[in-house]
Amino acid sequence: MEFGRVTPQELQEVDFTLPLNPALTIKTLLAAKNDQPFQVHVGCAKWGRKEWLGKIYPPKTKDANFLDEYVKHFDCIELNATFYQVYGAATIAKWKEKADATPGFKFCPKFSQSISHFRRLQNAEELTTQFYEGILAFGDKLGPLFLQLGDSFTPNSFPAVKAYLEHLPKDVPVFVELRHKDWFAVPENSTQIFNLLHELNIGAVITDASGRRDVVHMNLPTPHAFIRFVGNSLDRTDYTRVDEWIDRIKQWRDMGLQSCWFFMHQHDERYSPELADYVSDQLNQKLGLSLPRPKFMDRDKGLFG
């Protein structure tokens, strides 16, 4: 992922301190019902990484079998493949079958760019129907969906966002990622969009990227967190940032958070398994969980690269 990338020199100047909880987050969590066990899932964005051969995939694994190997190490995936193509139910069903032997595994598909970036949420009813018809083939392996509103999607598009979100099916959880700076630079814009999400019971993606600290907005319109963490090739700051996130997730859980989805990205994706492993290990230690951890072919590479 290139979003929010900075130079090594700039990296040392970034203030990675997580912002305080906004009023909406406090309101949402304190009103949440804690009648279900707290759920946490940790995963990556893609399974087709040749850099993982000899690391967590056997060296001679064929491309067609990468997903078979991925599900042995993680319990979810942020499915970016669906951003580039609207897949039919037949293909989705084949992916689901590969994960059937992994209890609790979830696919979290990204809305197609044909809907979000090309049609810009307008006149996209037919495409949206096709998208849902495909991903519903995941059945019990379907996790939440996420809709990315790219850098060119300004607050001037709020009416189109509102109209589109109001007509989405209510039976599959959805999270929205905002990227244009004016959503965050102008308080009225932030209030308007996050209140809308709260009213519609739609979550907000929090993207932690080094060069875009404004998108680390910490707003939870629903008692569910969806975090896209962008690391810097196992720089020391990757670990201290994760440590602070673990503390915040624990705080949110104690306040009423019901679930957390934590997806690992790196500008160089070869390092995503190591840091995802660190996340799971720390969550297990600090929150008393039993999350699966990647099984490295050289176990010593797991926690600290």
Side-chain angles (χ1 to χ4, degrees), residues 26-215:
I26 297 172
K27 172 185 174 182
T28 297
L29 296 182
L30 293 181
K33 296 180 179 179
N34 291 312
D35 54 357
Q36 298 293 330
F38 179 56
Q39 294 187 25
V40 181
H41 295 266
V42 178
C44 298
K46 299 177 180 178
W47 63 69
R49 305 304 313 192
K50 293 182 182 296
E51 308 97 310
W52 299 350
L53 291 170
K55 178 181 290 190
I56 60 173
Y57 297 169
K60 295 184 179 180
T61 303
K62 297 180 180 179
D63 291 9
N65 300 122
F66 279 2
L67 177 55
D68 303 79
E69 296 300 324
Y70 179 93
V71 301
K72 298 176 182 177
H73 303 282
F74 304 98
D75 67 0
C76 66
I77 186 163
E78 183 198 279
L79 189 58
N80 278 294
T82 53
F83 178 70
Y84 299 102
Q85 180 179 338
V86 176
Y87 289 92
T91 298
I92 299 294
K94 291 179 181 178
W95 292 345
K96 174 186 180 297
E97 184 178 356
K98 290 176 179 288
D100 277 342
T102 305
F105 188 92
K106 301 291 183 181
F107 293 87
C108 302
K110 186 176 184 179
F111 275 75
S112 168
Q113 63 181 346
S114 61
I115 297 168
S116 58
H117 289 53
F118 301 154
R119 293 289 178 88
R120 298 180 64 81
L121 307 185
Q122 301 183 70
N123 301 314
E125 294 83 3
E126 184 175 346
L127 284 170
T128 301
T129 297
Q130 293 173 2
F131 173 74
Y132 271 83
E133 286 177 344
I135 57 101
L136 287 175
F138 279 125
D140 63 353
K141 296 299 183 184
L142 180 62
L145 319 180
F146 79 104
L147 172 65
Q148 182 185 89
L149 303 183
D151 294 333
S152 65
F153 228 107
T154 75
N156 292 333
S157 299
F158 179 82
V161 175
K162 183 174 185 292
Y164 184 78
L165 295 180
E166 286 177 338
H167 289 90
L168 286 179
K170 307 298 183 185
D171 54 342
V172 181
V174 173
F175 290 81
V176 174
E177 181 183 27
L178 304 165
R179 288 195 166 185
H180 194 279
K181 294 182 177 181
D182 285 349
W183 290 111
F184 311 103
V186 182
E188 292 79 3
N189 293 337
S190 295
T191 299
Q192 186 178 46
I193 188 64
F194 289 120
N195 282 348
L196 173 68
L197 297 180
H198 182 68
E199 293 166 7
L200 298 177
N201 196 35
I202 290 175
V205 174
I206 299 172
T207 302
D208 188 336
S210 303
R212 282 294 305 276
R213 304 313 295 163
D214 53 345
V215 297

Side-chain angles (χ1 to χ4, degrees), residues 1-4 207-210 228-232 238 241 263-267:
M1 178 189 280
E2 291 300 308
F3 181 71
T207 302
D208 188 336
S210 303
R228 306 182 82 205
F229 184 98
V230 188
N232 293 287
D238 286 0
R241 290 166 63 196
F263 292 103
M264 183 56 61
H265 295 258
Q266 292 276 347
H267 298 305

